[in-house]
Amino acid sequence: MKIIVCLKQVPNTNEVKLDQTTGTLIRDGVPSIINPDDKAGLEAALTLKDSIGAHITVLTMGPPQADNALREALAMGADRAILLTDRKFAGADTWATSMTLAAAIRNLEYDLIIAGRQAIDGDTAQVGPQIAEKLGVPQVSYVDELEVKDEHIIVKRVFEEGYHRIKVKMPCLITTLTEMNTPRYMSVAGIFDAYREKEVEIWTMENLSIDPEHIGLKGSPTKVKKSYTKAPKAPGKKYNTDPEAAAKIIFDELKEKFIIK
Amino acid sequence: MIFSLSKEHEMLREMYRSFTVNEIKPLAEEIDEEERFPVESVEKLARYGFFGIPFPKNYGGAGGDNLAYAMAVEELSKACGTTGVIVSAHVSLCASPIYEFGTEEQKQKYLIPLAKGEKIGAFGLTEANAGTDAAGQQTKAVLDGDYYILNGSKIFITNAGHADIYIVMAMTDKSIGTRGISAFIVERGFEGFRIGKKEKKMGIRGSSTCELIFENCKVPKQNLLGKVGQGFKIAMKTLDGGRIGIAAQALGLAQGAIDETIKYTKERKQFNKPIASFQNTQFQLADMQTKTEAARLLVYKAAYLKDKGANYSQEAAMAKLYASEVAMEVTTKAVQLHGGYGYTREYGVERMMRDAKITEIYEGTSEVQRMVISAAMLK
């Protein structure tokens, strides 16, 4: 079985601090990690490799530093790593990103493509589904459980009110949730292999059959008009009273605003 | 001179840290309190390759180096000195001599399961009347057909009881002193071999330290490690390597105590200010970190020399001497900076102080290290 895992290197938002004067995020010196939803997807692939055998290719588009994230994936047990890096890919929105990733995937063999639900630095949840659309393969998003049965996978798709159990014929794409599993650590031998025996293949524009108009900033229909930090809300009202009276105040307020009847 | 780690060592450190924080630290207090060998940690350590870091892959190892190994013991010991010594005794004192002195057959049979962590290793040299004076060995080995028959006992053996494979020193010819000592590979379950009394210790209380008893213990002839009479040399070479592991354990304990102290002194308030804002605290911390960093450089240098195939005996002794004394000093100061709370078991620093003491004693006391260092100087 051949699996492609798409992953993204993101700043570890747990360690991002706010610049108190400008209200913006300080990204300098923040360690980078594999996006958690993507790491869960990688773990799902590695679990399949352990149980039924699989060849896992990890794929990312990013700056040269994204090499680290791919080495980590190799050290966890992935077999092949490809880094799509080219100045021409820069400034891509989700549409151009999925265009580029899909073009790379067309050069590879696969039964299953796994992408994380969404990245913690963008939260769009668009790239995975867009890749499937562009490749013309079926997709299931928000996957929490995965098993392989012959030509099919059976997945549990989670949403707010419940879940669906869905059977999909491969080749197909799924997007995975952090809650799905606890990713393994890298192993000591895996780390040595990742640097001494395996390599991260660098693919640029040259390696892809893709229209240059469809990639990077030029290929991105999304236009960011303005980026700003949400202004703080006006301070709320404060009542110093006993619980019963407080409950009544809240009740009346909600009623007044037609939130409750 | 390059004072930065390679990318792979940086990544190893990152992995060791997250593994230690999530898997080892939560158990440290409990295994100390209950004097319990952390069987569950041993399984996890094996799964991720901690027991075979410096050995080649064809012998079940991770294909790494001694620097990577020392860093592993350091990071584990930051949270738990017990776990640090379990790995150190296994790798340095049991798997290493088999790797360095064993026959191909012995490596296939013993090194591979040891490096994979499927079997745990230990080393027996010390006896009731033979510590620093290793030549005072009473344990005897007599060749009888296809077997050596061992009689005697060993004390203070780390990992004993939980180990499957033991490197045991015994006299094959008492009349010629140290040149009459030979080394043997003894398996748990060999006829006439049993585990004796378990020690109750001041520190590293989760590690199992017991007596080994040999009563007409039958050891197959092919389990002789090296040649007859090479035991003392094997033991000394083994301890040279072991010192890097124990120095790394001491280093980890010192750094672990500093990390706890930084956290505590920032939170603890006296006179309406965190105690970290007082200059005494700041100067103490500065001294603690400076000495610990110096110890780190000695430890890494000794590991580096071993990896290069250079003579590292003196550097390993210096690393062990200095790191263990720094660990004792730093953990004592850490308790002092924690005040009354530091003396309670609520905070980990008193455990680290108890754990640190042994690093000045085992695998060659500080006095032995000074002997080794000065002997090399006055040669």
Side-chain angles (χ1 to χ4, degrees), chain B residues 123-139 154 169-171 174 176-182 231-236 239 243 364 368 371:
Chain B
F123 171 84
L125 171 67
T126 301
E127 297 185 3
N129 297 310
T132 297
D133 177 15
Q137 300 279 310
Q138 299 294 322
T139 301
K154 300 283 171 187
M169 301 297 152
M171 280 287 182
K174 181 84 184 159
I176 49 174
T178 53
R179 278 176 297 129
I181 301 173
S182 301
F232 187 71
K233 188 186 125 192
I234 292 173
M236 291 305 111
L239 289 172
R243 279 164 196 155
V368 164
M371 282 160 60

PDB file of all heavy atoms in Angstrom, chain B residues 123-139 154 169-171 174 176-182 231-236 239 243 364 368 371:
ATOM      1  N   PHE B 123      26.659  -5.739  35.502  1.00  0.00           N
ATOM      2  CA  PHE B 123      28.103  -5.949  35.546  1.00  0.00           C
ATOM      3  C   PHE B 123      28.512  -6.213  36.991  1.00  0.00           C
ATOM      4  O   PHE B 123      28.121  -5.467  37.891  1.00  0.00           O
ATOM      5  CB  PHE B 123      28.762  -4.671  35.032  1.00  0.00           C
ATOM      6  CG  PHE B 123      30.256  -4.559  35.170  1.00  0.00           C
ATOM      7  CD1 PHE B 123      31.108  -5.119  34.216  1.00  0.00           C
ATOM      8  CD2 PHE B 123      30.820  -3.844  36.226  1.00  0.00           C
ATOM      9  CE1 PHE B 123      32.492  -4.965  34.322  1.00  0.00           C
ATOM     10  CE2 PHE B 123      32.198  -3.697  36.334  1.00  0.00           C
ATOM     11  CZ  PHE B 123      33.033  -4.253  35.385  1.00  0.00           C
ATOM     12  N   GLY B 124      29.278  -7.272  37.217  1.00  0.00           N
ATOM     13  CA  GLY B 124      29.667  -7.609  38.587  1.00  0.00           C
ATOM     14  C   GLY B 124      31.165  -7.655  38.790  1.00  0.00           C
ATOM     15  O   GLY B 124      31.838  -8.570  38.310  1.00  0.00           O
ATOM     16  N   LEU B 125      31.679  -6.650  39.489  1.00  0.00           N
ATOM     17  CA  LEU B 125      33.105  -6.620  39.822  1.00  0.00           C
ATOM     18  C   LEU B 125      33.260  -6.532  41.344  1.00  0.00           C
ATOM     19  O   LEU B 125      34.002  -7.313  41.956  1.00  0.00           O
ATOM     20  CB  LEU B 125      33.774  -5.404  39.150  1.00  0.00           C
ATOM     21  CG  LEU B 125      35.218  -5.085  39.563  1.00  0.00           C
ATOM     22  CD1 LEU B 125      36.178  -6.175  39.092  1.00  0.00           C
ATOM     23  CD2 LEU B 125      35.669  -3.724  38.989  1.00  0.00           C
ATOM     24  N   THR B 126      32.524  -5.589  41.959  1.00  0.00           N
ATOM     25  CA  THR B 126      32.669  -5.301  43.381  1.00  0.00           C
ATOM     26  C   THR B 126      32.284  -6.494  44.265  1.00  0.00           C
ATOM     27  O   THR B 126      31.291  -7.175  44.005  1.00  0.00           O
ATOM     28  CB  THR B 126      31.799  -4.080  43.752  1.00  0.00           C
ATOM     29  OG1 THR B 126      32.227  -2.988  42.960  1.00  0.00           O
ATOM     30  CG2 THR B 126      31.930  -3.722  45.223  1.00  0.00           C
ATOM     31  N   GLU B 127      33.095  -6.712  45.267  1.00  0.00           N
ATOM     32  CA  GLU B 127      32.790  -7.730  46.285  1.00  0.00           C
ATOM     33  C   GLU B 127      32.887  -7.085  47.652  1.00  0.00           C
ATOM     34  O   GLU B 127      33.389  -5.969  47.785  1.00  0.00           O
ATOM     35  CB  GLU B 127      33.801  -8.880  46.193  1.00  0.00           C
ATOM     36  CG  GLU B 127      33.740  -9.612  44.866  1.00  0.00           C
ATOM     37  CD  GLU B 127      34.665 -10.817  44.825  1.00  0.00           C
ATOM     38  OE1 GLU B 127      35.317 -11.115  45.847  1.00  0.00           O
ATOM     39  OE2 GLU B 127      34.725 -11.448  43.760  1.00  0.00           O
ATOM     40  N   ALA B 128      32.458  -7.828  48.661  1.00  0.00           N
ATOM     41  CA  ALA B 128      32.467  -7.288  50.021  1.00  0.00           C
ATOM     42  C   ALA B 128      33.865  -6.785  50.395  1.00  0.00           C
ATOM     43  O   ALA B 128      34.011  -5.758  51.053  1.00  0.00           O
ATOM     44  CB  ALA B 128      32.009  -8.370  50.995  1.00  0.00           C
ATOM     45  N   ASN B 129      34.897  -7.489  49.948  1.00  0.00           N
ATOM     46  CA  ASN B 129      36.253  -7.088  50.308  1.00  0.00           C
ATOM     47  C   ASN B 129      37.078  -6.626  49.110  1.00  0.00           C
ATOM     48  O   ASN B 129      38.295  -6.571  49.180  1.00  0.00           O
ATOM     49  CB  ASN B 129      36.963  -8.241  51.015  1.00  0.00           C
ATOM     50  CG  ASN B 129      36.263  -8.577  52.328  1.00  0.00           C
ATOM     51  OD1 ASN B 129      35.984  -7.689  53.140  1.00  0.00           O
ATOM     52  ND2 ASN B 129      35.913  -9.840  52.500  1.00  0.00           N
ATOM     53  N   ALA B 130      36.403  -6.335  48.004  1.00  0.00           N
ATOM     54  CA  ALA B 130      37.124  -5.866  46.825  1.00  0.00           C
ATOM     55  C   ALA B 130      36.313  -4.790  46.123  1.00  0.00           C
ATOM     56  O   ALA B 130      35.421  -5.066  45.331  1.00  0.00           O
ATOM     57  CB  ALA B 130      37.399  -7.017  45.869  1.00  0.00           C
ATOM     58  N   GLY B 131      36.581  -3.534  46.484  1.00  0.00           N
ATOM     59  CA  GLY B 131      35.921  -2.418  45.831  1.00  0.00           C
ATOM     60  C   GLY B 131      36.939  -1.745  44.945  1.00  0.00           C
ATOM     61  O   GLY B 131      37.274  -2.243  43.859  1.00  0.00           O
ATOM     62  N   THR B 132      37.466  -0.626  45.444  1.00  0.00           N
ATOM     63  CA  THR B 132      38.535   0.075  44.716  1.00  0.00           C
ATOM     64  C   THR B 132      39.722  -0.868  44.467  1.00  0.00           C
ATOM     65  O   THR B 132      40.354  -0.840  43.414  1.00  0.00           O
ATOM     66  CB  THR B 132      38.966   1.306  45.529  1.00  0.00           C
ATOM     67  OG1 THR B 132      37.845   2.179  45.629  1.00  0.00           O
ATOM     68  CG2 THR B 132      40.119   2.027  44.871  1.00  0.00           C
ATOM     69  N   ASP B 133      39.999  -1.735  45.420  1.00  0.00           N
ATOM     70  CA  ASP B 133      41.074  -2.720  45.271  1.00  0.00           C
ATOM     71  C   ASP B 133      40.520  -3.966  44.577  1.00  0.00           C
ATOM     72  O   ASP B 133      40.222  -4.979  45.200  1.00  0.00           O
ATOM     73  CB  ASP B 133      41.620  -3.075  46.659  1.00  0.00           C
ATOM     74  CG  ASP B 133      42.708  -4.150  46.610  1.00  0.00           C
ATOM     75  OD1 ASP B 133      43.231  -4.410  45.502  1.00  0.00           O
ATOM     76  OD2 ASP B 133      43.016  -4.721  47.661  1.00  0.00           O
ATOM     77  N   ALA B 134      40.395  -3.864  43.255  1.00  0.00           N
ATOM     78  CA  ALA B 134      39.747  -4.934  42.491  1.00  0.00           C
ATOM     79  C   ALA B 134      40.512  -6.253  42.560  1.00  0.00           C
ATOM     80  O   ALA B 134      39.950  -7.333  42.365  1.00  0.00           O
ATOM     81  CB  ALA B 134      39.575  -4.512  41.033  1.00  0.00           C
ATOM     82  N   ALA B 135      41.816  -6.159  42.856  1.00  0.00           N
ATOM     83  CA  ALA B 135      42.627  -7.375  42.891  1.00  0.00           C
ATOM     84  C   ALA B 135      42.269  -8.275  44.075  1.00  0.00           C
ATOM     85  O   ALA B 135      42.693  -9.436  44.123  1.00  0.00           O
ATOM     86  CB  ALA B 135      44.105  -7.015  42.942  1.00  0.00           C
ATOM     87  N   GLY B 136      41.493  -7.737  45.006  1.00  0.00           N
ATOM     88  CA  GLY B 136      41.107  -8.536  46.171  1.00  0.00           C
ATOM     89  C   GLY B 136      39.949  -9.489  45.903  1.00  0.00           C
ATOM     90  O   GLY B 136      39.334 -10.012  46.834  1.00  0.00           O
ATOM     91  N   GLN B 137      39.649  -9.744  44.629  1.00  0.00           N
ATOM     92  CA  GLN B 137      38.563 -10.647  44.230  1.00  0.00           C
ATOM     93  C   GLN B 137      38.625 -11.996  44.932  1.00  0.00           C
ATOM     94  O   GLN B 137      39.677 -12.632  44.954  1.00  0.00           O
ATOM     95  CB  GLN B 137      38.674 -10.940  42.722  1.00  0.00           C
ATOM     96  CG  GLN B 137      38.576  -9.757  41.813  1.00  0.00           C
ATOM     97  CD  GLN B 137      37.162  -9.349  41.568  1.00  0.00           C
ATOM     98  OE1 GLN B 137      36.323 -10.174  41.221  1.00  0.00           O
ATOM     99  NE2 GLN B 137      36.875  -8.088  41.772  1.00  0.00           N
ATOM    100  N   GLN B 138      37.504 -12.443  45.444  1.00  0.00           N
ATOM    101  CA  GLN B 138      37.444 -13.777  46.046  1.00  0.00           C
ATOM    102  C   GLN B 138      36.698 -14.765  45.139  1.00  0.00           C
ATOM    103  O   GLN B 138      36.866 -15.969  45.267  1.00  0.00           O
ATOM    104  CB  GLN B 138      36.725 -13.714  47.404  1.00  0.00           C
ATOM    105  CG  GLN B 138      37.413 -12.829  48.443  1.00  0.00           C
ATOM    106  CD  GLN B 138      38.768 -13.373  48.879  1.00  0.00           C
ATOM    107  OE1 GLN B 138      38.939 -14.571  49.013  1.00  0.00           O
ATOM    108  NE2 GLN B 138      39.732 -12.480  49.085  1.00  0.00           N
ATOM    109  N   THR B 139      35.849 -14.231  44.276  1.00  0.00           N
ATOM    110  CA  THR B 139      35.087 -15.124  43.397  1.00  0.00           C
ATOM    111  C   THR B 139      36.056 -15.885  42.495  1.00  0.00           C
ATOM    112  O   THR B 139      36.939 -15.294  41.891  1.00  0.00           O
ATOM    113  CB  THR B 139      34.080 -14.322  42.547  1.00  0.00           C
ATOM    114  OG1 THR B 139      33.213 -13.630  43.449  1.00  0.00           O
ATOM    115  CG2 THR B 139      33.256 -15.219  41.643  1.00  0.00           C
ATOM    116  N   LYS B 154      29.073 -11.258  44.625  1.00  0.00           N
ATOM    117  CA  LYS B 154      29.319  -9.863  44.242  1.00  0.00           C
ATOM    118  C   LYS B 154      28.291  -9.009  44.975  1.00  0.00           C
ATOM    119  O   LYS B 154      27.173  -9.465  45.236  1.00  0.00           O
ATOM    120  CB  LYS B 154      29.118  -9.700  42.726  1.00  0.00           C
ATOM    121  CG  LYS B 154      30.063 -10.567  41.884  1.00  0.00           C
ATOM    122  CD  LYS B 154      31.437  -9.972  41.833  1.00  0.00           C
ATOM    123  CE  LYS B 154      32.450 -10.903  41.197  1.00  0.00           C
ATOM    124  NZ  LYS B 154      33.826 -10.368  41.305  1.00  0.00           N
ATOM    125  N   MET B 169      33.269 -10.789  36.895  1.00  0.00           N
ATOM    126  CA  MET B 169      34.715 -10.980  37.024  1.00  0.00           C
ATOM    127  C   MET B 169      34.982 -12.054  38.066  1.00  0.00           C
ATOM    128  O   MET B 169      34.347 -12.064  39.130  1.00  0.00           O
ATOM    129  CB  MET B 169      35.385  -9.679  37.487  1.00  0.00           C
ATOM    130  CG  MET B 169      35.174  -8.513  36.556  1.00  0.00           C
ATOM    131  SD  MET B 169      35.900  -8.800  34.939  1.00  0.00           S
ATOM    132  CE  MET B 169      34.810  -7.793  33.942  1.00  0.00           C
ATOM    133  N   ALA B 170      35.920 -12.940  37.752  1.00  0.00           N
ATOM    134  CA  ALA B 170      36.271 -13.979  38.724  1.00  0.00           C
ATOM    135  C   ALA B 170      37.734 -14.366  38.541  1.00  0.00           C
ATOM    136  O   ALA B 170      38.295 -14.220  37.449  1.00  0.00           O
ATOM    137  CB  ALA B 170      35.370 -15.202  38.533  1.00  0.00           C
ATOM    138  N   MET B 171      38.330 -14.830  39.628  1.00  0.00           N
ATOM    139  CA  MET B 171      39.741 -15.223  39.607  1.00  0.00           C
ATOM    140  C   MET B 171      39.896 -16.595  38.954  1.00  0.00           C
ATOM    141  O   MET B 171      39.291 -17.573  39.403  1.00  0.00           O
ATOM    142  CB  MET B 171      40.254 -15.339  41.044  1.00  0.00           C
ATOM    143  CG  MET B 171      40.611 -14.012  41.670  1.00  0.00           C
ATOM    144  SD  MET B 171      42.146 -13.411  40.939  1.00  0.00           S
ATOM    145  CE  MET B 171      42.352 -11.899  41.893  1.00  0.00           C
ATOM    146  N   LYS B 174      44.498 -17.041  41.212  1.00  0.00           N
ATOM    147  CA  LYS B 174      44.657 -16.094  42.325  1.00  0.00           C
ATOM    148  C   LYS B 174      46.125 -15.703  42.533  1.00  0.00           C
ATOM    149  O   LYS B 174      46.429 -14.586  42.981  1.00  0.00           O
ATOM    150  CB  LYS B 174      44.088 -16.766  43.596  1.00  0.00           C
ATOM    151  CG  LYS B 174      44.144 -15.926  44.854  1.00  0.00           C
ATOM    152  CD  LYS B 174      42.943 -14.981  44.948  1.00  0.00           C
ATOM    153  CE  LYS B 174      43.065 -14.074  46.171  1.00  0.00           C
ATOM    154  NZ  LYS B 174      42.274 -12.865  46.088  1.00  0.00           N
ATOM    155  N   ILE B 176      48.474 -14.818  40.606  1.00  0.00           N
ATOM    156  CA  ILE B 176      49.107 -13.749  39.823  1.00  0.00           C
ATOM    157  C   ILE B 176      48.334 -12.430  39.895  1.00  0.00           C
ATOM    158  O   ILE B 176      48.492 -11.543  39.049  1.00  0.00           O
ATOM    159  CB  ILE B 176      49.339 -14.176  38.348  1.00  0.00           C
ATOM    160  CG1 ILE B 176      48.068 -14.779  37.729  1.00  0.00           C
ATOM    161  CG2 ILE B 176      50.490 -15.168  38.242  1.00  0.00           C
ATOM    162  CD1 ILE B 176      48.187 -15.083  36.242  1.00  0.00           C
ATOM    163  N   GLY B 177      47.507 -12.268  40.941  1.00  0.00           N
ATOM    164  CA  GLY B 177      46.830 -10.986  41.190  1.00  0.00           C
ATOM    165  C   GLY B 177      45.884 -10.591  40.073  1.00  0.00           C
ATOM    166  O   GLY B 177      45.139 -11.437  39.559  1.00  0.00           O
ATOM    167  N   THR B 178      45.939  -9.322  39.689  1.00  0.00           N
ATOM    168  CA  THR B 178      44.970  -8.825  38.705  1.00  0.00           C
ATOM    169  C   THR B 178      45.071  -9.561  37.369  1.00  0.00           C
ATOM    170  O   THR B 178      44.093  -9.647  36.634  1.00  0.00           O
ATOM    171  CB  THR B 178      45.163  -7.315  38.439  1.00  0.00           C
ATOM    172  OG1 THR B 178      46.525  -7.075  38.106  1.00  0.00           O
ATOM    173  CG2 THR B 178      44.793  -6.492  39.662  1.00  0.00           C
ATOM    174  N   ARG B 179      46.260 -10.079  37.056  1.00  0.00           N
ATOM    175  CA  ARG B 179      46.400 -10.795  35.783  1.00  0.00           C
ATOM    176  C   ARG B 179      45.752 -12.187  35.835  1.00  0.00           C
ATOM    177  O   ARG B 179      45.709 -12.894  34.839  1.00  0.00           O
ATOM    178  CB  ARG B 179      47.865 -10.875  35.361  1.00  0.00           C
ATOM    179  CG  ARG B 179      48.319  -9.570  34.672  1.00  0.00           C
ATOM    180  CD  ARG B 179      49.798  -9.598  34.346  1.00  0.00           C
ATOM    181  NE  ARG B 179      50.590  -9.698  35.576  1.00  0.00           N
ATOM    182  CZ  ARG B 179      51.556 -10.597  35.776  1.00  0.00           C
ATOM    183  NH1 ARG B 179      51.849 -11.486  34.852  1.00  0.00           N
ATOM    184  NH2 ARG B 179      52.231 -10.620  36.919  1.00  0.00           N
ATOM    185  N   GLY B 180      45.257 -12.517  37.013  1.00  0.00           N
ATOM    186  CA  GLY B 180      44.569 -13.796  37.155  1.00  0.00           C
ATOM    187  C   GLY B 180      43.053 -13.652  37.136  1.00  0.00           C
ATOM    188  O   GLY B 180      42.321 -14.603  37.405  1.00  0.00           O
ATOM    189  N   ILE B 181      42.566 -12.440  36.792  1.00  0.00           N
ATOM    190  CA  ILE B 181      41.110 -12.227  36.739  1.00  0.00           C
ATOM    191  C   ILE B 181      40.616 -12.456  35.311  1.00  0.00           C
ATOM    192  O   ILE B 181      41.261 -12.025  34.344  1.00  0.00           O
ATOM    193  CB  ILE B 181      40.744 -10.781  37.175  1.00  0.00           C
ATOM    194  CG1 ILE B 181      41.233 -10.500  38.604  1.00  0.00           C
ATOM    195  CG2 ILE B 181      39.234 -10.552  37.064  1.00  0.00           C
ATOM    196  CD1 ILE B 181      41.058  -9.049  39.046  1.00  0.00           C
ATOM    197  N   SER B 182      39.487 -13.159  35.177  1.00  0.00           N
ATOM    198  CA  SER B 182      38.875 -13.354  33.857  1.00  0.00           C
ATOM    199  C   SER B 182      37.430 -12.870  33.897  1.00  0.00           C
ATOM    200  O   SER B 182      36.825 -12.776  34.961  1.00  0.00           O
ATOM    201  CB  SER B 182      38.925 -14.828  33.456  1.00  0.00           C
ATOM    202  OG  SER B 182      40.263 -15.268  33.421  1.00  0.00           O
ATOM    203  N   GLY B 231      40.499 -10.298  32.338  1.00  0.00           N
ATOM    204  CA  GLY B 231      39.356  -9.705  33.044  1.00  0.00           C
ATOM    205  C   GLY B 231      39.608  -8.326  33.612  1.00  0.00           C
ATOM    206  O   GLY B 231      38.767  -7.434  33.503  1.00  0.00           O
ATOM    207  N   PHE B 232      40.776  -8.146  34.224  1.00  0.00           N
ATOM    208  CA  PHE B 232      41.051  -6.855  34.845  1.00  0.00           C
ATOM    209  C   PHE B 232      41.113  -5.750  33.793  1.00  0.00           C
ATOM    210  O   PHE B 232      40.532  -4.678  33.957  1.00  0.00           O
ATOM    211  CB  PHE B 232      42.365  -6.914  35.640  1.00  0.00           C
ATOM    212  CG  PHE B 232      42.630  -5.670  36.446  1.00  0.00           C
ATOM    213  CD1 PHE B 232      41.863  -5.381  37.569  1.00  0.00           C
ATOM    214  CD2 PHE B 232      43.628  -4.772  36.075  1.00  0.00           C
ATOM    215  CE1 PHE B 232      42.092  -4.230  38.317  1.00  0.00           C
ATOM    216  CE2 PHE B 232      43.856  -3.609  36.815  1.00  0.00           C
ATOM    217  CZ  PHE B 232      43.093  -3.343  37.936  1.00  0.00           C
ATOM    218  N   LYS B 233      41.787  -6.060  32.688  1.00  0.00           N
ATOM    219  CA  LYS B 233      41.886  -5.091  31.598  1.00  0.00           C
ATOM    220  C   LYS B 233      40.485  -4.759  31.055  1.00  0.00           C
ATOM    221  O   LYS B 233      40.148  -3.598  30.838  1.00  0.00           O
ATOM    222  CB  LYS B 233      42.753  -5.690  30.472  1.00  0.00           C
ATOM    223  CG  LYS B 233      43.081  -4.719  29.370  1.00  0.00           C
ATOM    224  CD  LYS B 233      43.802  -5.417  28.218  1.00  0.00           C
ATOM    225  CE  LYS B 233      43.057  -5.156  26.928  1.00  0.00           C
ATOM    226  NZ  LYS B 233      43.526  -6.006  25.826  1.00  0.00           N
ATOM    227  N   ILE B 234      39.691  -5.814  30.883  1.00  0.00           N
ATOM    228  CA  ILE B 234      38.318  -5.597  30.389  1.00  0.00           C
ATOM    229  C   ILE B 234      37.534  -4.734  31.373  1.00  0.00           C
ATOM    230  O   ILE B 234      36.846  -3.784  30.982  1.00  0.00           O
ATOM    231  CB  ILE B 234      37.608  -6.956  30.150  1.00  0.00           C
ATOM    232  CG1 ILE B 234      38.266  -7.685  28.964  1.00  0.00           C
ATOM    233  CG2 ILE B 234      36.105  -6.764  29.913  1.00  0.00           C
ATOM    234  CD1 ILE B 234      37.771  -9.107  28.743  1.00  0.00           C
ATOM    235  N   ALA B 235      37.684  -5.046  32.673  1.00  0.00           N
ATOM    236  CA  ALA B 235      36.954  -4.276  33.687  1.00  0.00           C
ATOM    237  C   ALA B 235      37.387  -2.809  33.671  1.00  0.00           C
ATOM    238  O   ALA B 235      36.546  -1.903  33.727  1.00  0.00           O
ATOM    239  CB  ALA B 235      37.179  -4.886  35.073  1.00  0.00           C
ATOM    240  N   MET B 236      38.674  -2.564  33.574  1.00  0.00           N
ATOM    241  CA  MET B 236      39.160  -1.178  33.595  1.00  0.00           C
ATOM    242  C   MET B 236      38.706  -0.409  32.354  1.00  0.00           C
ATOM    243  O   MET B 236      38.269   0.735  32.438  1.00  0.00           O
ATOM    244  CB  MET B 236      40.695  -1.146  33.718  1.00  0.00           C
ATOM    245  CG  MET B 236      41.235  -1.621  35.072  1.00  0.00           C
ATOM    246  SD  MET B 236      40.545  -0.726  36.504  1.00  0.00           S
ATOM    247  CE  MET B 236      39.544  -2.003  37.271  1.00  0.00           C
ATOM    248  N   LEU B 239      35.047   0.315  32.706  1.00  0.00           N
ATOM    249  CA  LEU B 239      34.767   1.415  33.634  1.00  0.00           C
ATOM    250  C   LEU B 239      35.154   2.772  33.041  1.00  0.00           C
ATOM    251  O   LEU B 239      34.508   3.775  33.322  1.00  0.00           O
ATOM    252  CB  LEU B 239      35.483   1.178  34.973  1.00  0.00           C
ATOM    253  CG  LEU B 239      34.879   0.035  35.810  1.00  0.00           C
ATOM    254  CD1 LEU B 239      35.755  -0.264  37.020  1.00  0.00           C
ATOM    255  CD2 LEU B 239      33.451   0.354  36.249  1.00  0.00           C
ATOM    256  N   ARG B 243      32.332   5.626  32.980  1.00  0.00           N
ATOM    257  CA  ARG B 243      32.472   6.952  33.615  1.00  0.00           C
ATOM    258  C   ARG B 243      31.803   8.035  32.795  1.00  0.00           C
ATOM    259  O   ARG B 243      31.298   9.010  33.349  1.00  0.00           O
ATOM    260  CB  ARG B 243      33.961   7.256  33.813  1.00  0.00           C
ATOM    261  CG  ARG B 243      34.453   6.563  35.047  1.00  0.00           C
ATOM    262  CD  ARG B 243      35.954   6.455  35.166  1.00  0.00           C
ATOM    263  NE  ARG B 243      36.210   5.433  36.187  1.00  0.00           N
ATOM    264  CZ  ARG B 243      37.304   4.697  36.274  1.00  0.00           C
ATOM    265  NH1 ARG B 243      38.278   4.856  35.412  1.00  0.00           N
ATOM    266  NH2 ARG B 243      37.410   3.808  37.227  1.00  0.00           N
ATOM    267  N   GLY B 364      33.965   3.860  40.339  1.00  0.00           N
ATOM    268  CA  GLY B 364      35.191   4.574  40.704  1.00  0.00           C
ATOM    269  C   GLY B 364      34.861   5.800  41.522  1.00  0.00           C
ATOM    270  O   GLY B 364      34.213   6.724  41.025  1.00  0.00           O
ATOM    271  N   VAL B 368      39.372   7.526  43.287  1.00  0.00           N
ATOM    272  CA  VAL B 368      39.910   6.712  42.193  1.00  0.00           C
ATOM    273  C   VAL B 368      40.106   7.575  40.939  1.00  0.00           C
ATOM    274  O   VAL B 368      41.115   7.455  40.243  1.00  0.00           O
ATOM    275  CB  VAL B 368      38.991   5.503  41.897  1.00  0.00           C
ATOM    276  CG1 VAL B 368      39.320   4.885  40.532  1.00  0.00           C
ATOM    277  CG2 VAL B 368      39.138   4.460  42.985  1.00  0.00           C
ATOM    278  N   MET B 371      43.204   9.356  41.177  1.00  0.00           N
ATOM    279  CA  MET B 371      44.333   8.450  40.935  1.00  0.00           C
ATOM    280  C   MET B 371      44.565   8.269  39.430  1.00  0.00           C
ATOM    281  O   MET B 371      45.691   8.341  38.940  1.00  0.00           O
ATOM    282  CB  MET B 371      44.060   7.074  41.576  1.00  0.00           C
ATOM    283  CG  MET B 371      44.274   7.033  43.087  1.00  0.00           C
ATOM    284  SD  MET B 371      43.417   5.622  43.886  1.00  0.00           S
ATOM    285  CE  MET B 371      44.185   4.239  43.062  1.00  0.00           C
TER     286      MET B 371
END
